[in-house]
Coordinates of all heavy atoms in Angstrom, one line a residue:
L41 N 110.3 30.0 31.8 CA 108.9 29.8 32.2 C 108.1 31.0 32.1 O 106.9 31.0 31.6 CB 108.9 29.3 33.7 CG 107.5 29.3 34.3 CD1 106.6 28.3 33.7 CD2 107.8 29.0 35.8
A42 N 108.6 32.2 32.5 CA 107.9 33.5 32.4 C 107.5 33.8 30.9 O 106.4 34.1 30.6 CB 108.7 34.6 32.9
L43 N 108.5 33.6 30.0 CA 108.3 33.8 28.6 C 107.1 32.8 28.1 O 106.3 33.3 27.3 CB 109.5 33.6 27.8 CG 109.4 33.8 26.3 CD1 109.0 35.1 26.0 CD2 110.8 33.5 25.7
T44 N 107.2 31.7 28.5 CA 106.2 30.7 28.1 C 104.7 31.1 28.6 O 103.7 31.0 28.0 CB 106.5 29.2 28.6 OG1 107.7 28.9 27.9 CG2 105.4 28.3 28.2
V45 N 104.7 31.6 29.9 CA 103.4 32.0 30.4 C 102.9 33.1 29.6 O 101.7 33.1 29.2 CB 103.6 32.4 32.0 CG1 102.3 33.2 32.5 CG2 103.9 31.2 32.8
L46 N 103.7 34.1 29.4 CA 103.2 35.2 28.6 C 102.9 34.8 27.2 O 101.9 35.4 26.6 CB 104.4 36.3 28.5 CG 104.5 37.0 29.9 CD1 105.8 37.9 29.7 CD2 103.5 37.8 30.3
T47 N 103.6 33.9 26.6 CA 103.3 33.5 25.2 C 101.9 32.7 25.2 O 101.1 33.1 24.3 CB 104.3 32.6 24.6 OG1 105.6 33.3 24.6 CG2 103.9 32.0 23.3
F48 N 101.7 31.8 26.1 CA 100.5 31.3 26.1 C 99.2 32.1 26.4 O 98.2 32.1 25.9 CB 100.4 30.0 27.1 CG 101.0 28.8 26.5 CD1 102.1 28.2 27.0 CD2 100.3 28.0 25.7 CE1 102.7 27.0 26.6 CE2 100.7 26.8 25.3 CZ 101.9 26.4 25.6
F49 N 99.5 33.1 27.2 CA 98.5 34.2 27.6 C 98.1 34.9 26.3 O 97.0 35.2 26.0 CB 98.9 35.1 28.6 CG 98.0 36.0 29.0 CD1 96.9 35.7 30.1 CD2 97.7 37.3 28.4 CE1 96.0 36.5 30.5 CE2 96.6 38.0 28.8 CZ 95.8 37.7 29.7
Q50 N 99.2 35.4 25.6 CA 98.9 36.1 24.4 C 98.3 35.3 23.2 O 97.7 36.0 22.4 CB 100.2 36.8 24.0 CG 100.8 37.9 24.9 CD 101.9 38.6 24.4 OE1 102.8 37.9 24.2 NE2 102.0 39.9 24.6
R51 N 98.4 34.0 23.3 CA 97.9 33.1 22.2 C 96.5 32.8 22.6 O 95.8 32.0 21.9 CB 98.7 31.9 22.0 CG 100.0 32.2 21.3 CD 100.7 30.9 21.2 NE 101.9 31.2 20.5 CZ 103.0 30.3 20.3 NH1 102.7 29.1 20.8 NH2 103.9 30.6 19.8
G52 N 95.9 33.3 23.8 CA 94.5 33.0 24.1 C 94.1 32.3 25.4 O 93.0 32.2 25.7
A53 N 95.2 31.8 26.0 CA 94.8 31.1 27.4 C 94.8 32.2 28.5 O 95.7 32.5 29.1 CB 96.0 30.2 27.6
V54 N 93.6 32.9 28.4 CA 93.6 34.0 29.4 C 93.0 33.7 30.7 O 92.9 34.6 31.7 CB 92.8 35.2 28.6 CG1 93.6 35.7 27.6 CG2 91.4 34.8 28.2
D55 N 92.3 32.5 30.9 CA 91.7 32.1 32.1 C 92.9 31.4 33.0 O 93.7 30.8 32.4 CB 90.6 31.0 31.9 CG 90.1 30.3 33.1 OD1 89.3 31.1 33.9 OD2 90.5 29.3 33.4
H56 N 92.9 31.6 34.3 CA 94.0 31.2 35.1 C 94.1 29.7 34.9 O 95.3 29.2 34.7 CB 93.7 31.5 36.6 CG 94.7 30.9 37.6 ND1 94.5 29.7 38.0 CD2 95.8 31.4 38.1 CE1 95.5 29.4 38.9 NE2 96.4 30.3 38.9
D57 N 93.0 28.9 35.0 CA 93.2 27.5 35.0 C 93.6 27.0 33.6 O 94.4 26.0 33.5 CB 91.8 26.7 35.4 CG 91.4 27.0 36.8 OD1 92.4 27.3 37.7 OD2 90.2 27.0 37.2
E58 N 93.0 27.6 32.7 CA 93.5 27.2 31.3 C 95.0 27.5 31.0 O 95.6 26.8 30.5 CB 92.7 28.0 30.2 CG 92.9 27.7 28.8 CD 92.1 28.5 27.9 OE1 91.5 29.5 28.3 OE2 92.2 28.3 26.7
L59 N 95.4 28.6 31.6 CA 96.9 29.1 31.3 C 97.7 28.2 32.1 O 98.8 27.6 31.6 CB 97.0 30.5 31.8 CG 98.4 31.1 31.7 CD1 98.8 31.2 30.2 CD2 98.4 32.5 32.3
L60 N 97.4 27.8 33.3 CA 98.1 27.0 34.1 C 98.2 25.6 33.5 O 99.3 25.1 33.3 CB 97.5 26.9 35.5 CG 98.2 25.9 36.4 CD1 99.5 26.3 36.8 CD2 97.3 25.8 37.9
A61 N 97.1 25.0 33.0 CA 97.2 23.7 32.3 C 98.0 23.8 31.0 O 98.9 22.8 30.9 CB 95.8 23.3 31.9
A62 N 98.0 24.8 30.2 CA 98.9 24.9 28.9 C 100.3 25.0 29.4 O 101.0 24.3 28.7 CB 98.3 26.1 28.3
V63 N 100.6 25.7 30.5 CA 102.0 25.8 30.8 C 102.5 24.6 31.4 O 103.6 24.0 31.2 CB 102.2 27.1 31.7 CG1 103.7 27.1 32.2 CG2 101.9 28.3 31.0
L64 N 101.8 23.9 32.2 CA 102.1 22.7 32.9 C 102.4 21.6 31.8 O 103.0 20.9 32.1 CB 101.1 22.1 34.0 CG 101.1 23.0 35.2 CD1 99.9 22.6 36.1 CD2 102.4 22.9 36.0
S65 N 101.6 21.7 30.7 CA 101.9 20.6 29.6 C 103.3 20.8 29.1 O 103.8 19.8 28.5 CB 100.8 20.8 28.6 OG 101.1 21.9 27.8
R66 N 104.0 21.8 29.4 CA 105.4 22.1 29.0 C 106.4 22.1 30.1 O 107.5 22.5 29.9 CB 105.4 23.3 28.2 CG 104.5 23.5 27.1 CD 104.8 22.9 25.7 NE 106.1 23.5 25.3 CZ 106.3 24.5 24.4 NH1 105.3 25.2 23.9 NH2 107.5 24.8 24.0

Side-chain angles (χ1 to χ4, degrees):
L41 171 61
L43 180 60
T44 301
V45 169
L46 291 171
T47 299
F48 275 110
F49 186 89
Q50 290 178 318
R51 289 182 181 171
V54 296
D55 172 76
H56 176 274
D57 294 335
E58 180 183 9
L59 181 58
L60 180 62
V63 176
L64 285 175
S65 73
R66 308 275 304 264

